[in-house]
Amino acid sequence: MKIFFATDIHGSETCWRKFLNAAAFYKADLVILGGDVTGKVMIPIVANTGYWQTTVRGETIRMETREELAEVERQIRGRGSYPAIVTPDELTVLSETEGEVDRRFSLEMMHSLDRWLDMADGKLRGGEIGCILNGGNDDIFEIDQMIESSPCVTFAEGKLLDLDGFSMISMGWTNPTPWDTFREAPEDELAAKIEAIATQVPDMGRAIFNFHAPPYGTGLDEAPALDASLRPMHGGAVMKPVGSTAVRDSIVAHQPLLSVHGHIHESRGVKRMGRTLAINPGSVYGDGVLQGALIDLDAKKAKVKRYLLVNG
Amino acid sequence: MAAEAVGTQAPTLFLRKATGLVRGWSVRDSMIYACLATNFVTLAIYEFAFAAPAFPKGQILTSVVISGIWVSFLVVAYAGLVVTIPRAGGDYVWQTRILNGGLGFVMAATGWWFILWLWAPIYGNILSVQFFEPIWATLKWTWPGGGAAWFGTHTGIFVVSLITIALAGLLVSIGMGGYARFQKWCFYGGLFGFAVIVVLLLVNSHTAFVNSFNLEAHKLFGINNAYGATNKAASKIAGYAPTKLGFGPLGPTMLLVPVMMFFILWPNWGATLYGEIRGASDFRRVLTGMFGGLWITVALTVVFLLLIDKTMGWAFYQNANQANFNVVSPLPIWPYPVLFAGWLVHNAAFQVILILIMSLWFFGWVGTLFLSSTRVIFAAAFDRVLPDRAAEVSEKRKVPFYSLILMLLPAVALSAVYAYNTTFVKYTYDATLVIAVTFLFSAIAVVLLPFIKKDLWQASPASKIKLLGVPVVPVAGWVTIGLLGFNLYEWLTNNSYYVNLHPSLVFMGCMYALAIIVYVVAFYVRRRQGIDLSLVNKEIPVE
């Protein structure tokens, strides 16, 4: 069975479209997105009389036709931001009213995911190509139900899934980060969450762990060391491990066949942990490039036949 | 969600709380690392000892300034790459992504890995002549046999190279955390040492220097009138006459530019960028860090050269280098200006402390020798070009054992050849050239970026930096190609650089051949394993 695994596309519509095309492109049987589906940035496009105006990466853009507006929206979505069309008054309300940005963010995220799932339906031939999604620590909880209800995508969070004789368990939760995101828990709670599903796995020799957090201290979890104000220390030259000890301990203890991770975008890499092959394909969603891992599993011998990290 | 608005008047974007939204790092920090990389002491002063003998009619001062201006364009081009594809892998990532996977591997393997085997004995030699030899001479230590002179023997050179390799390997193993802090202290300490030298050279007259030089040289080496003897020894070298410090003539001065690349070409050495919300300010930040580091080095060099002229005498400095290069110097020691400046104070303890403080320029810099090699080896292993083991890190000690072997063993072997085979020393003149070729392909990548990766370029803050409506970054790429093309042409056609010697070219050719062989073998071995390496950078269609 050939799997394409990608992660952390953070609202990039370019990456989502590539993800949907990945099965055909790489001749994969199954595509998996390992969490952090939603974006972090919202860019207001101000609707004035007769034109729209926005600022993208420091450049002010004026649009006078609907076509120009659509093109700018496409570019904004492509890089993982949400275009939010607002009137000047709405922009004032957004920036001055407590909680208004969060509300609008949620709205844009849900609206965007809804469109993405519609696209998936067509691209995945109504579920003919296997597609698995789960949340990541940056994803709001509201998306779970939405993905769950999609007919062509399987929502994996907290479940044991059977994949042609292999078992996959998934968890989008991570150990605490400096940003206090949605799905974070202390290490002991993470360990308990993992154990709760790991005990259901019938054969660890045929198991796949799909955990958003990478295992601690494995080189798959190296992020720039930050000071108290979240500024990279020493000119960004110093990295430090920030992965989860609970994830690491669970891999060491259970020795699944394969373990796929995300969360730390800079830490693209592969690590052998005893019998387990652990992979973090990393993410450069902002460039519109979909990093991923092509993994070929041998069902007869229950082993990873081959793998390749790609920049699609 | 605790969102945040960004924008000075009306907000131009909103951020929600999410992982990885970091603030820009300190420009001062990146400036310090760029300044250490273009090291004015370990590289510039070391190189001047060869520059004057090779091109005695050229003006070092002018060529430093010209080189600084020209390399500034390289800084702009690299800042453009950094903000467009901000990856720690640097040239490897840019070239594999923009140009071609195989080409990127060959350029990165030769420029950031193989050639650094050759830099190991160069670093070792610098440590010898700027640290061990002057300290041993000042303290008149006679152990090991011959005292300071022992460091110039075959075994001495080899032992110091081994010390350098061990030091650099150790720093790779323990990580950059503590070392980065140490580097900063080294920088500030080194600046303090430089300030002391500036004061010494400023307050003392030329006559005072001549007297001090003669006194200390007599005390340490038993030489009478060492200043005059040095000048006299140089005057006997056929076809050589010292010039005055000035600005022309331009022709021979331009020929010094490829020599200056030995120290001035590296402000981009550690350029990285993290963070996902990038804008024009990031371009400025990256640019300022590298640009600041480069021009601090240029400024320190210019001040130093002017003070040498004022107090030591420019002709004497050139003569000392000429005499040493031609092995006719009455001084049994490398002409280290820091040592000579220290002789203005007739106190051995002060002289040693000054050498120790100035050695911080070396110790703050040596750790970078193999860091880039580790990154390239890891990246190539993750791309399945190298065996998986090359990227393995031991669980217990966190040491990248196999990559260290790939870096250290060849470096040790080449250091031995360097130490015991005097002809091989000349091959080290290739050291700058091979990295320059790698940079050349990154400059080509900058120029082609707007055409090959249109969307990526349009979304990059670098594409918004324009002068008279023309994007600055690709233009800087063209100027960088001009700089590197000029250097490569001179290196390969002018005998004075010692680069175009037949065995030297064969040695370089072997490096490129080795990289090509590694890639081709990997490609076919992986294909037999059912892995198609051509897929690594193939773009998935969007529609």
Side-chain angles (χ1 to χ4, degrees):
Chain A
M1 180 174 58
K2 201 173 188 180
I3 297 172
F4 175 74
F5 174 82
T7 182
D8 294 77
I9 63 169
H10 286 289
S12 163
E13 197 154 302
T14 303
C15 287
W16 174 252
R17 287 172 183 271
K18 287 182 172 184
F19 174 72
L20 297 178
N21 289 334
F25 188 73
Y26 296 118
K27 300 181 177 62
D29 306 301
L30 172 70
V31 290
I32 303 172
L33 192 60
D36 279 0
V37 180
T38 49
K40 309 172 180 185
V41 181
M42 185 167 67
I43 297 180
I45 298 177
V46 183
N48 297 295
T49 314
Y51 70 97
W52 296 266
Q53 188 163 301
T54 188
T55 303
V56 181
R57 298 189 181 197
E59 187 189 25
T60 301
I61 305 167
R62 182 182 160 110
M63 297 144 278
E64 295 188 348
T65 65
R66 291 224 166 258
E67 289 72 29
E68 286 173 357
L69 173 66
E71 175 56 21
V72 170
E73 281 187 294
R74 187 192 67 81
Q75 285 176 12
I76 291 172
R77 286 197 191 101
R79 303 286 164 205
S81 302
Y82 297 112
I85 299 175
V86 292
T87 63
D89 290 343
E90 281 172 334
L91 184 62
T92 308
V93 172
L94 259 182
S95 47
E96 290 176 1
T97 312
E98 179 78 24
E100 194 56 28
V101 175
D102 289 344
R103 194 195 62 76
R104 184 66 185 252
F105 244 121
S106 291
L107 199 72
E108 296 294 342
M109 279 190 264
M110 303 294 281
H111 177 64
S112 172
L113 187 59
D114 193 33
R115 279 188 329 104
W116 282 17
L117 292 173
D118 278 349
M119 274 184 226
D121 202 19
K123 290 276 184 185
L124 301 172
R125 299 197 289 269
E128 206 176 293
I129 299 167
C131 176
I132 295 173
L133 256 68
N134 69 302
N137 65 306
D138 284 328
D139 291 324
I140 54 172
F141 292 101
E142 289 90 322
I143 69 161
D144 296 12
Q145 193 51 48
M146 204 167 191
I147 302 172
E148 190 81 75
S149 59
S150 168
C152 57
V153 169
T154 304
F155 185 59
E157 181 69 37
K159 293 178 187 167
L160 169 70
L161 298 175
D162 178 64
L163 311 173
D164 275 351
F166 293 95
S167 312
M168 186 172 86
I169 55 173
S170 305
M171 181 184 69
W173 290 70
T174 69
N175 48 314
T177 73
W179 295 273
D180 186 25
T181 56
F182 301 96
R183 299 171 207 237
E184 292 181 13
E187 293 285 5
D188 54 341
E189 276 182 41
L190 281 189
K193 278 177 186 288
I194 293 169
E195 279 313 300
I197 38 172
T199 49
Q200 300 169 32
V201 174
D203 176 6
M204 280 296 170
R206 302 180 82 85
I208 301 167
F209 284 6
N210 171 24
F211 297 160
H212 190 62
Y216 177 83
T218 52
L220 306 181
D221 65 328
E222 297 268 318
L226 303 176
D227 65 14
S229 64
L230 301 181
R231 193 186 288 279
M233 294 164 72
H234 306 296
V238 178
M239 310 291 275
K240 72 172 207 178
V242 295
S244 160
T245 54
V247 169
R248 184 195 61 201
D249 294 346
S250 72
I251 294 170
V252 171
H254 295 297
Q255 291 286 284
L257 174 66
L258 174 69
S259 181
V260 287
H261 309 276
H263 189 41
I264 307 302
H265 304 178
E266 301 87 350
S267 246
R268 176 179 185 265
V270 177
K271 172 80 179 167
R272 281 252 170 229
M273 299 175 71
R275 189 181 174 276
T276 307
L277 181 74
I279 297 177
N280 176 2
S283 171
V284 289
Y285 72 93
D287 299 349
V289 173
L290 183 65
Q291 290 189 336
L294 273 172
I295 306 152
D296 218 340
L297 299 179
D298 187 329
K300 272 190 192 164
K301 294 179 184 167
K303 67 172 204 175
V304 177
K305 206 152 73 176
R306 56 183 85 92
Y307 72 88
L308 185 66
L309 300 187
V310 291
N311 309 300
Chain B
M1 260 190 272
E4 181 186 342
V6 177
T8 43
Q9 292 158 347
T12 54
L13 65 86
F14 296 100
L15 303 173
R16 68 185 177 94
K17 67 173 186 182
T19 321
L21 294 179
V22 299
R23 298 179 65 204
W25 71 83
S26 150
V27 171
R28 192 186 54 186
D29 283 0
S30 42
M31 208 180 274
I32 288 173
Y33 300 130
C35 195
L36 279 173
T38 53
N39 208 300
F40 129 82
V41 176
T42 60
L43 292 174
I45 291 179
Y46 182 75
E47 182 63 11
F48 294 159
F50 302 94
F55 300 97
K57 289 179 184 163
Q59 284 293 347
I60 291 180
L61 186 75
T62 317
S63 90
V64 168
V65 176
I66 291 172
S67 302
I69 293 168
W70 215 344
V71 172
S72 297
F73 288 92
L74 174 134
V75 164
V76 175
Y78 266 77
L81 282 172
V82 169
V83 296
T84 306
I85 308 178
R87 305 289 163 264
D91 296 271
Y92 177 74
V93 174
W94 298 323
Q95 291 181 23
T96 51
R97 291 268 296 276
I98 299 169
L99 300 175
N100 172 276
L103 179 71
F105 173 78
V106 170
M107 287 304 130
T110 48
W112 286 99
W113 176 15
F114 298 170
I115 199 66
L116 293 178
W117 298 333
L118 204 51
W119 275 87
I122 298 175
Y123 274 51
N125 200 34
I126 292 167
L127 184 62
S128 263
V129 299
Q130 295 190 353
F131 182 75
F132 286 114
E133 283 185 22
I135 288 177
W136 254 248
T138 306
L139 295 173
K140 295 186 182 177
W141 283 346
T142 53
W143 178 93
W150 180 81
F151 294 98
T153 64
H154 296 312
T155 308
I157 292 169
F158 185 52
V159 168
V160 178
S161 295
L162 289 182
I163 292 171
T164 308
I165 292 166
L167 206 56
L170 182 73
L171 291 165
V172 168
S173 306
I174 62 171
M176 278 295 285
Y179 186 59
R181 207 169 298 120
F182 174 69
Q183 279 187 301
K184 266 194 253 180
W185 286 109
C186 285
F187 178 74
Y188 293 125
L191 279 185
F192 173 73
F194 177 76
V196 171
I197 289 172
V198 167
V199 171
L200 282 174
L201 295 178
L202 213 51
V203 300
N204 283 285
S205 66
H206 177 63
T207 312
F209 176 78
V210 174
N211 292 337
S212 296
F213 188 88
N214 286 337
L215 182 72
E216 293 294 327
H218 181 75
K219 215 159 63 180
L220 295 179
F221 309 118
I223 305 166
N224 291 322
N225 186 21
Y227 193 91
T230 303
N231 289 335
K232 195 176 171 188
S235 69
K236 288 180 181 166
I237 297 167
Y240 164 72
T243 54
K244 285 185 174 177
L245 185 68
F247 294 99
L250 193 61
T253 300
M254 285 304 290
L255 293 179
L256 276 171
V257 169
V259 181
M260 296 307 147
M261 294 302 119
F262 182 76
F263 80 100
I264 218 166
L265 192 60
W266 326 120
N268 55 345
W269 197 259
T272 54
L273 175 68
Y274 297 104
E276 294 153 27
I277 313 307
R278 304 195 290 276
S281 64
D282 290 305
F283 181 82
R284 280 196 296 275
R285 188 187 301 275
V286 174
L287 182 70
T288 311
M290 291 194 276
F291 193 81
L294 168 69
W295 281 94
I296 289 172
T297 297
V298 171
L300 293 178
T301 308
V302 167
V303 168
F304 189 68
L305 293 176
L306 290 172
L307 286 170
I308 280 183
D309 181 45
K310 172 205 162 285
T311 309
M312 294 186 188
W314 185 247
F316 165 75
Y317 182 55
Q318 288 184 91
N319 289 339
N321 287 327
Q322 273 287 356
N324 178 70
F325 185 78
N326 289 283
V327 206
V328 293
S329 174
L331 287 174
I333 195 162
W334 190 74
Y336 187 29
V338 170
L339 176 74
F340 298 165
W343 285 355
L344 284 161
V345 177
H346 306 298
N347 180 302
F350 172 85
Q351 291 162 7
V352 168
I353 290 170
L354 187 63
I355 293 163
L356 286 173
I357 292 175
M358 290 302 280
S359 75
L360 293 174
W361 286 96
F362 181 88
F363 292 106
W365 165 76
V366 66
T368 56
L369 175 59
F370 290 135
L371 268 182
S372 51
S373 313
T374 332
R375 285 176 182 169
V376 169
I377 291 170
F378 276 42
F382 293 148
D383 283 353
R384 310 304 303 273
V385 177
L386 295 178
D388 305 1
R389 285 205 161 177
E392 260 180 32
V393 178
S394 83
E395 287 285 341
K396 277 187 186 170
R397 299 187 193 282
K398 306 290 175 208
V399 175
F401 187 69
Y402 294 101
S403 65
L404 274 177
I405 287 176
L406 290 171
M407 293 182 295
L408 301 192
L409 284 188
V412 169
L414 285 185
S415 295
V417 180
Y418 177 93
Y420 292 101
N421 180 336
T422 42
T423 316
F424 187 79
V425 173
K426 288 187 173 164
Y427 298 179
T428 57
Y429 298 129
D430 305 342
T432 310
L433 183 146
V434 174
I435 305 178
V437 171
T438 303
F439 288 4
L440 175 67
F441 279 89
S442 287
I444 292 170
V446 170
V447 168
L448 296 180
L449 178 64
F451 307 102
I452 295 180
K453 301 276 178 189
K454 233 176 204 170
D455 282 353
L456 195 58
W457 170 248
Q458 277 168 0
S460 166
S463 67
K464 313 293 182 285
I465 313 294
K466 292 180 180 172
L467 196 65
L468 303 171
V470 179
V472 168
V473 171
V475 172
W478 278 113
V479 179
T480 307
I481 290 171
L483 164 74
L484 297 169
F486 167 75
N487 289 326
L488 288 168
Y489 175 78
E490 288 298 334
W491 279 322
L492 293 173
T493 58
N494 191 328
N495 297 341
S496 302
Y497 300 102
Y498 298 100
V499 170
N500 62 350
L501 302 169
H502 184 255
S504 179
L505 292 173
V506 170
F507 178 74
M508 269 190 292
C510 288
M511 281 193 176
Y512 285 101
L514 177 63
I516 292 168
I517 290 168
V518 169
Y519 188 80
V520 171
V521 168
F523 192 89
Y524 287 103
V525 167
R526 292 303 187 196
R527 195 155 82 170
R528 276 175 52 191
Q529 295 170 345
I531 298 168
D532 181 2
L533 289 188
S534 70
L535 277 182
V536 171
N537 290 299
K538 202 173 260 181
E539 194 169 352
I540 308 169
V542 180
E543 296 308 329

